Amino acid sequence: IGPNPASQKVFLNDPEDILREVRINTIDGKRMPFRLNKNVLDISALPKGIYIIEIETSKGRLAKKLIIER
């Protein structure tokens, strides 16, 4: 996942093509809208702040903090 902090786009490294679902939530759990094109998340519509990005793959789940700066 990078870059982090980010401002417009976040790139997901998925060389094995195992990505199933991606969610971006606020710290208090509200799901946020974003666009996913292949392995690129367009986060340009999200306000700056700290979010939790949840990634589900065929091998398991991962949750990481994502910082959006403007």
Side-chain angles (χ1 to χ4, degrees):
I1 302 171
N4 193 5
S7 62
Q8 300 292 317
K9 295 181 180 180
V10 176
F11 300 90
L12 304 177
N13 185 12
D14 184 24
E16 298 177 41
D17 198 28
I18 59 174
L19 187 65
R20 288 191 179 160
E21 185 176 1
V22 178
R23 293 179 295 280
I24 297 177
N25 299 319
T26 61
I27 294 295
D28 60 0
K30 181 181 176 189
R31 187 170 287 183
M32 302 302 289
F34 64 92
R35 289 189 305 252
L36 177 63
N37 183 12
K38 300 193 183 198
N39 292 339
V40 180
L41 301 174
D42 179 352
I43 57 166
S44 61
L46 298 179
K48 73 177 188 173
I50 299 173
Y51 298 86
I52 303 297
I53 183 168
E54 297 176 346
I55 299 169
E56 184 176 334
T57 71
S58 60
K59 294 185 177 183
R61 291 182 162 192
L62 172 69
K64 304 249 320 161
K65 181 170 43 171
L66 173 65
I67 300 170
I68 298 179
E69 297 180 336
R70 298 281 181 240

